[in-house]
Amino acid sequence: MRRFTQFTCVDWSGAKTERPDGIAVATIGPDGPPILISPDPRWSRADVRDWLLQVAATKQNMLIGFDLSMALPFYDAASYFPLWDDSPSDASSLWQLVEGLSSADPHLNVLSFLDHPQASRHFRHSRDHVGDLFTGGTGRLRVVEQYQRETGQANSASCFNLVGAAQVGKSSLTGMRMLHQLNGAIPIWPFDPIPDSGPMIVEIYTTIAALAAGLPKGKSKIRDRDGLETALRALDTALPGKLLQYDDHSTDALITAAWMKNASADKRLWHPPMLTEEIAQKEGWTFGVF
């Protein structure tokens, strides 16, 4: 089984600003504690993309987890965007579509994509602006998201819902722009084969790491030193130095990087029984969901 020597979690953000508060990057090596990689000023989405290209150039054996959905639901309706003739047929084409319609938007935003007359029909944009093809309720879910809910592994949200603090649609769509711009520099599981060496990207869900660290469902966000120490001890991980502030983005990234180090050695997580090649190419999968 492939072995990595560095494990990095990127807590992503879909906020409109150039340098959102919500982006945090933490990494952990073979020994020692997880640490935050903290640029000055704060991370932008473009900064993260450029940093990934540097990782690719140096061929580091790094497993990189992104807290976002790397595709939209397809299987429930046999299409990402039913009734749209230009609806893509696989995830890489979806990334290309989002990038193409948003290329003029600064900071990897996706405002133009969401304003497109066909795309906008599928999203809940606000309480008073709901596309006529939004399915209602929680919104459409990918196979992995529905499976997470059914098995109690996570309470996944729909990327077609753009409303509320728990929405993940904007962060996922901006992430798709970033993935497209990487242009194959780093393989992305499960869309690409696992490389023999060098970096690889996976989709992660920080709540899964939090639950593995012993945090209760519905109370997985940590905003203090004591909570961080308890979680990392549960993951048998050394403790980092004191942080400048204990926001949940930083602690999510630190805990998840530590969890990834442990989870990457579990062969089952690389071969989920429900993950077919067709699902992999159209919807992807969340690493850690089995």
Side-chain angles (χ1 to χ4, degrees), residues 3-18:
R3 299 290 182 181
F4 296 91
T5 56
Q6 196 78 18
F7 306 87
T8 300
C9 172
V10 182
D11 199 37
W12 192 249
S13 171
K16 295 179 183 179
T17 57
E18 180 181 4

Side-chain angles (χ1 to χ4, degrees), residues 7-262:
F7 306 87
T8 300
C9 172
V10 182
D11 199 37
W12 192 249
S13 171
K16 295 179 183 179
T17 57
E18 180 181 4
R19 299 184 183 278
D21 293 338
I23 296 180
V25 182
T27 191
I28 185 170
D31 303 302
I35 61 170
L36 290 173
I37 303 175
S38 301
D40 186 16
R42 294 189 301 264
W43 288 101
S44 70
R45 286 180 284 265
D47 288 339
V48 175
R49 176 203 60 206
D50 294 345
W51 177 77
L52 289 172
L53 292 172
Q54 293 175 10
V55 170
T58 56
K59 303 184 188 309
Q60 297 181 54
N61 288 317
M62 182 184 292
L63 183 63
I64 306 154
F66 272 86
D67 186 23
L68 54 86
S69 297
M70 293 186 177
L72 295 174
F74 185 95
Y75 277 94
D76 62 334
S79 176
Y80 296 118
F81 305 106
L83 304 184
W84 187 4
D85 290 342
D86 292 331
S87 182
S89 60
D90 57 32
S92 62
S93 300
L94 173 63
W95 304 342
Q96 183 177 20
L97 175 69
V98 175
E99 169 67 16
L101 293 178
S102 304
S103 58
D105 293 351
H107 318 316
L108 295 184
N109 276 311
V110 290
L111 302 179
S112 296
F113 172 77
L114 292 173
D115 283 341
H116 185 276
Q118 288 297 326
S120 66
R121 300 177 67 189
H122 298 268
F123 292 87
R124 177 193 279 140
H125 302 264
S126 68
R127 184 180 64 179
D128 301 320
H129 180 194
V130 181
D132 65 301
L133 294 179
F134 182 78
T135 58
T138 58
R140 295 171 56 198
L141 296 170
R142 295 184 296 161
V143 172
V144 67
E145 293 160 351
Q146 185 65 38
Y147 181 68
Q148 287 177 52
R149 282 176 167 257
E150 291 172 352
T151 58
Q153 295 183 64
N155 192 27
S156 302
S158 171
C159 285
F160 286 111
N161 175 45
L162 308 177
V163 182
Q167 66 88 14
V168 296
K170 293 174 184 175
S171 61
S172 296
L173 291 167
T174 58
M176 291 177 202
R177 286 197 65 185
M178 182 272 301
L179 294 175
H180 177 77
Q181 291 183 15
L182 287 177
N183 194 31
I186 299 178
I188 304 168
W189 180 89
F191 308 101
D192 300 314
I194 298 174
D196 293 333
S197 62
M200 187 173 67
I201 291 172
V202 295
E203 172 187 321
I204 49 89
Y205 189 28
T206 58
T207 299
I208 293 176
L211 294 176
L215 297 174
K217 288 185 178 180
K219 297 181 179 180
S220 62
K221 298 303 179 183
I222 291 177
R223 299 179 179 88
D224 58 59
R225 178 73 186 184
D226 289 344
L228 177 62
E229 290 185 357
T230 299
L232 291 177
R233 286 194 183 102
L235 295 171
D236 195 25
T237 300
L239 305 179
K242 289 187 177 180
L243 308 185
L244 294 177
Q245 62 181 25
Y246 288 87
D247 60 88
D248 54 292
H249 306 294
S250 298
T251 57
D252 275 353
L254 289 164
I255 292 167
T256 306
W259 169 80
M260 288 171 59
K261 179 180 177 181
N262 297 336

